[in-house]
Amino acid sequence: MDMTTVLAPGVHVQASKPFGDTPARGVDALMARWVRSARARTVVVSLVFIVAALVFWHAGKPIWGNWAETNAVITSQRDYQGRFDPACDLGLAYRVDGRQIRTHASVPEPCTVMPSIGAAMVVRHDQFDPGWVQIRGFPQPTGLLLIGLSVLMLTPLASLALYLGIAWRRVAAVRQLGDAPWYEITGTVQTSPPATRNLLRLALQHTGPGQANTELRFGIRPISFFPLPAAGSTFTVRVTGTGSGKVLVALPGHAGVALGTITATP
């Protein structure tokens, strides 16, 4: 057993070095695996953000699309019940770049107040999709649609941004804390999950008279499933750190690395 003080200021714990002085981030390609994982998540999240931006842009084209105007002839009328009030579905015919276009557009008014079949109306149309029209002089729900999309997308996009930030935060932690070797230490389990929300607390073995009690805390979610130890049992973990008290924690025989802290306790 080696005595080490690198895990926290003034903390002396019994530890061994299962991989010698090899930096922890180089054991089992730990750093490379976390970087690959973070990059893959970055690609996925970036694609989701791009799709969301395209959906938002497409929905707002009537506002910022600089649509052209043309005269259209009403070819049909049909009353129907809209979400809140009666509405009229109008069949429209018009020409764009020499092509005859026939489409339908709705207005939030009953057909009885609309011009009769055969009358002309001014419509705005998408230059790249001439069948997508709006009738000039009638309110359109584009603004409300954009507000609804913003509200709908805000929470999932914020969650994805947080998810991505956590991934790169772990890469930074592995890069910084993993510069030291792995130390294998044994402690007594003080509190076993799930009573403490997946936070495992160990009282570590210490050396020397007057040495303060030492406690290791880490979350078990990032580490693959293992039988949860009972309070009062002994438990062996691998830790590495630069001496600040912040450490990476791994379990022999299990995948995944968690962030933890080592502190001296009264």
Side-chain angles (χ1 to χ4, degrees):
M1 301 291 287
D2 297 324
M3 186 177 70
T4 176
T5 59
V6 299
L7 300 177
V11 171
H12 298 257
V13 294
Q14 294 281 1
S16 63
K17 296 181 180 179
F19 305 102
D21 292 324
T22 303
R25 64 188 182 190
V27 176
D28 294 331
L30 176 64
M31 186 69 188
R33 286 188 287 111
W34 275 98
V35 169
R36 283 198 302 269
S37 175
R39 286 176 176 172
R41 296 181 186 189
T42 300
V43 171
V44 172
V45 172
S46 297
L47 290 175
V48 172
F49 270 82
I50 290 172
V51 170
L54 289 175
V55 170
F56 191 84
W57 171 80
H58 183 74
K61 285 182 70 176
I63 296 178
W64 46 67
N66 192 27
W67 283 12
E69 290 189 348
T70 189
N71 291 319
V73 175
I74 299 176
T75 59
S76 65
Q77 294 180 340
R78 180 180 65 86
D79 280 302
Y80 71 97
Q81 182 62 40
R83 178 174 295 182
F84 302 108
D85 299 302
C88 181
D89 176 76
L90 297 176
L92 300 170
Y94 50 95
R95 301 187 73 84
V96 176
D97 296 332
R99 291 184 298 157
Q100 182 70 29
I101 306 296
R102 292 185 179 274
T103 189
H104 286 260
S106 295
V107 293
E109 298 286 351
C111 293
T112 54
V113 303
M114 300 303 297
S116 60
I117 295 175
M121 302 190 74
V122 178
V123 299
R124 300 170 62 240
H125 65 85
D126 184 358
Q127 294 176 331
F128 300 100
D129 182 10
W132 184 6
V133 298
Q134 290 187 341
I135 300 175
R136 192 175 69 178
F138 290 91
Q140 301 295 330
T142 305
L144 293 176
L145 175 61
L146 293 179
I147 294 174
L149 281 175
S150 299
V151 173
L152 186 65
M153 291 190 281
L154 180 62
T155 298
L157 291 180
S159 300
L160 285 173
L162 178 62
Y163 170 76
L164 186 59
I166 291 174
W168 283 107
R169 177 175 174 266
R170 291 189 177 277
V171 169
V174 171
R175 180 179 288 112
Q176 177 186 8
L177 302 176
D179 195 46
W182 281 118
Y183 295 92
E184 202 161 90
I185 58 179
T186 300
T188 302
V189 178
Q190 290 185 318
T191 307
S192 181
T196 53
R197 299 181 182 178
N198 297 295
L199 181 69
L200 195 62
R201 297 169 55 195
L202 277 74
L204 303 180
Q205 296 176 355
H206 54 82
T207 62
Q211 169 68 41
N213 294 327
T214 305
E215 182 180 85
L216 168 65
R217 296 186 181 197
F218 65 97
I220 64 173
R221 286 183 184 274
I223 302 176
S224 64
F225 173 78
F226 60 93
L228 296 176
S233 63
T234 58
F235 199 61
T236 298
V237 297
R238 289 174 183 158
V239 297
T240 183
T242 56
S244 65
K246 295 181 179 179
V247 292
L248 297 178
V249 183
L251 299 182
H254 296 274
V257 176
L259 296 176
T261 58
I262 287 183
T263 57
T265 59

